[in-house]
C-alpha cells in the first residue's frame, strides 16, 4: 500500500527471454515479474499520475533497481511512453493501445477485463509495440468517502458525481462502495472531457466544485467554480485549486463548504 492507498498486481501475461539455464516455474515467474516491474517503474519514475506510486512501491518491495529512460512523454489521460536502452516502452490504458498502434497479444483484453471487473484500473505494459504484461492498480476509496458522500447528498443537498478516466466497470465498483448512483457516474473521459462535463453542468445553471488530486484533474478544477485539491496530490493540482485540503482528508470538504456557507450568511446579514 502506498501513501495514497494504491495497490499494484501483476497478472501473468508476461513473456521474457531467459539466459540462465532452465529455472523452475517459480523462479521463472519471479524473474519475469521483476523484469516487467523494472521497466514499468523506470518508465513511471517521471510520471506525476497518482497511480504511478503503486508501481513504484511494488518495484521497491521486489528490490528492483531503476534505470534511466530517455524521451519520456506523458499522454494525458492515456499513458506514458519512453525508451529504456534499445527498447521502446509504453504504459497505458485500453484506449491508448489502438491510438499507439500496439499489437495486442492473445489474453491481454481478457486479463484487463478480469481486473476491471474487480474494480481495478488495468494498464498495459508494451515493449517495442507489443503488449507484454497487464498491471492492475486498485485505487481504494478513502475510508471516509462513503460518509462524506452521504452527508453531501442527504444532509447538504449537493449532487455528487464521479468524474473519472477509469473505465466504466472499474468506476461502477468504486461508486457502488461509496454510495454514488450509477446515473451520476461519468467514466472513461480524458482531461478535456472532464472540462466539457464541468462546462455542461455550469451551462445548466449549476455551481460546480471539483475535487481531485491528479494532473489529469487540473483542467477540470480550473474550469470549475471551486477547485478543491487533496494536499497529498500532485503539485499541478495543488497549484490549480482554490482550496487545498492540507490534511488530505475528504471530511475537510464538508468543513470547507459549511464554513463558506456560514460566512456567506453572515455577509448577507451585515
Amino acid at each position: 500500500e502506498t501513501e495514497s492507498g494504491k495497490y499494484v498486481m501483476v497478472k501473468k501475461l508476461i513473456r521474457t527471454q531467459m539466459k540462465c539455464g532452465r529455472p523452475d516455474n517459480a523462479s521463472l515467474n519471479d524473474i519475469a515479474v521483476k523484469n516487467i516491474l523494472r521497466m514499468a517503474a523506470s518508465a513511471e519514475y517521471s510520471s506525476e499520475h497518482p497511480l504511478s506510486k503503486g508501481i513504484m512501491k511494488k518495484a521497491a518491495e521486489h528490490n528492483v533497481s531503476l534505470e534511466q529512460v530517455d524521451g519520456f512523454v506523458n499522454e494525458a489521460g492515456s499513458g506514458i511512453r519512453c525508451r529504456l536502452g534499445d527498447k521502446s516502452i509504453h504504459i497505458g490504458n485500453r484506449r491508448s493501445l489502438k491510438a499507439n498502434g500496439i499489437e495486442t497479444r492473445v489474453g491481454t483484453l481478457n486479463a484487463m477485463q478480469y481486473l476491471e471487473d474487480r474494480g481495478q484500473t488495468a494498464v498495459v505494459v508494451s515493449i517495442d509495440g507489443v503488449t507484454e504484461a497487464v498491471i492492475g492498480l486498485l485505487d481504494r476509496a478513502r475510508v471516509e468517502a462513503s460518509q462524506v458522500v452521504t452527508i453531501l447528498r442527504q444532509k447538504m443537498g449537493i449532487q455528487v458525481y464521479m468524474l473519472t478516466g477509469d473505465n466504466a466497470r472499474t468506476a461502477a465498483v468504486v461508486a457502488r462502495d461509496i454510495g454514488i448512483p450509477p446515473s451520476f457516474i461519468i467514466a472513461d473521459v480524458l482531461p478535456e472531457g472532464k472540462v466539457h462535463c464541468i462546462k455542461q453542468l455550469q451551462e445548466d445553471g449549476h455551481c460546480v466544485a471539483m475535487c481531485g488530486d491528479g494532473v489529469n484533474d487540473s483542467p477540470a478544477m480550473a474550469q470549475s467554480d471551486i477547485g478543491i485539491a487533496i494536499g497529498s496530490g500532485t503539485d499541478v493540482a495543488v497549484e490549480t485549486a482554490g482550496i487545498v485540503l492540507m490534511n488530505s482528508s475528504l471530511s475537510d470538504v464538508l468543513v470547507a463548504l459549511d464554513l463558506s456557507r456560514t460566512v456567506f450568511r453572515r455577509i448577507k446579514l451585515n
Side-chain angles (χ1 to χ4, degrees), residues 8-61:
V8 59
M9 180 178 73
V10 180
K11 292 297 293 178
K12 292 187 287 186
L13 177 69
I14 297 173
R15 178 179 65 90
T16 184
Q17 294 183 353
M18 302 297 301
K19 295 183 179 178
C20 53
R22 301 178 63 182
D24 59 31
N25 290 336
S27 298
L28 177 62
N29 182 64
D30 185 60
I31 293 171
V33 169
K34 284 187 175 181
N35 192 37
I36 289 297
L37 284 174
R38 174 181 61 83
M39 289 183 280
S42 296
E44 290 283 2
Y45 181 78
S46 299
S47 173
E48 286 193 324
H49 196 289
L51 289 177
S52 66
K53 296 178 182 178
I55 295 177
M56 302 296 296
K57 176 69 173 179
K58 183 58 67 173
E61 290 176 1

Side-chain angles (χ1 to χ4, degrees), residues 176-196:
R176 180 195 63 206
D177 291 343
I178 63 176
I180 295 179
S183 58
F184 286 81
I185 302 171
I186 304 174
D188 202 24
V189 287
L190 293 169
E192 56 267 29
K194 295 181 180 181
V195 171
H196 175 75

Side-chain angles (χ1 to χ4, degrees), residues 145-163 175 178-186 201 206-211 250 253-254 257:
S146 178
Q147 182 182 29
V148 170
V149 169
T150 298
I151 294 174
L152 286 171
R153 295 181 64 234
Q154 298 182 9
K155 299 290 183 64
M156 302 182 77
I158 295 174
Q159 295 179 346
V160 181
Y161 288 81
M162 171 179 283
L163 188 57
I178 63 176
I180 295 179
S183 58
F184 286 81
I185 302 171
I186 304 174
L201 288 170
H206 298 289
C207 179
V208 182
M210 172 70 183
C211 184
L250 286 178
V253 171
L254 304 176
L257 292 176

Side-chain angles (χ1 to χ4, degrees), residues 19-216:
K19 295 183 179 178
C20 53
R22 301 178 63 182
D24 59 31
N25 290 336
S27 298
L28 177 62
N29 182 64
D30 185 60
I31 293 171
V33 169
K34 284 187 175 181
N35 192 37
I36 289 297
L37 284 174
R38 174 181 61 83
M39 289 183 280
S42 296
E44 290 283 2
Y45 181 78
S46 299
S47 173
E48 286 193 324
H49 196 289
L51 289 177
S52 66
K53 296 178 182 178
I55 295 177
M56 302 296 296
K57 176 69 173 179
K58 183 58 67 173
E61 290 176 1
H62 283 261
N63 296 316
V64 173
S65 298
L66 305 187
E67 299 180 24
Q68 181 68 40
V69 302
D70 298 309
F72 176 88
V73 176
N74 176 56
E75 300 173 343
S78 295
I80 61 170
R81 52 187 168 87
C82 61
R83 293 199 63 83
L84 179 59
D86 61 349
K87 296 187 179 298
S88 175
I89 308 297
H90 182 274
I91 303 175
N93 56 24
R94 185 183 297 270
R95 76 168 69 89
S96 71
L97 296 177
K98 185 176 181 179
N100 286 274
I102 293 173
E103 178 186 342
T104 305
R105 291 184 180 277
V106 175
T108 298
L109 297 181
N110 288 339
M112 295 180 74
Q113 183 169 344
Y114 173 88
L115 293 166
E116 291 166 355
D117 287 343
R118 286 154 180 78
Q120 300 182 36
T121 299
V123 295
V124 180
V125 180
S126 302
I127 303 172
D128 294 333
V130 182
T131 58
E132 295 289 352
V134 178
I135 297 177
L137 295 156
L138 181 56
D139 193 0
R140 289 190 181 277
R142 295 172 182 269
V143 292
E144 73 273 21
S146 178
Q147 182 182 29
V148 170
V149 169
T150 298
I151 294 174
L152 286 171
R153 295 181 64 234
Q154 298 182 9
K155 299 290 183 64
M156 302 182 77
I158 295 174
Q159 295 179 346
V160 181
Y161 288 81
M162 171 179 283
L163 188 57
T164 177
D166 278 338
N167 67 88
R169 283 191 292 270
T170 299
V173 172
V174 177
R176 180 195 63 206
D177 291 343
I178 63 176
I180 295 179
S183 58
F184 286 81
I185 302 171
I186 304 174
D188 202 24
V189 287
L190 293 169
E192 56 267 29
K194 295 181 180 181
V195 171
H196 175 75
C197 291
I198 299 292
K199 285 182 177 179
Q200 187 63 56
L201 288 170
Q202 290 171 328
E203 289 172 2
D204 291 340
H206 298 289
C207 179
V208 182
M210 172 70 183
C211 184
D213 65 353
V215 63
N216 293 331

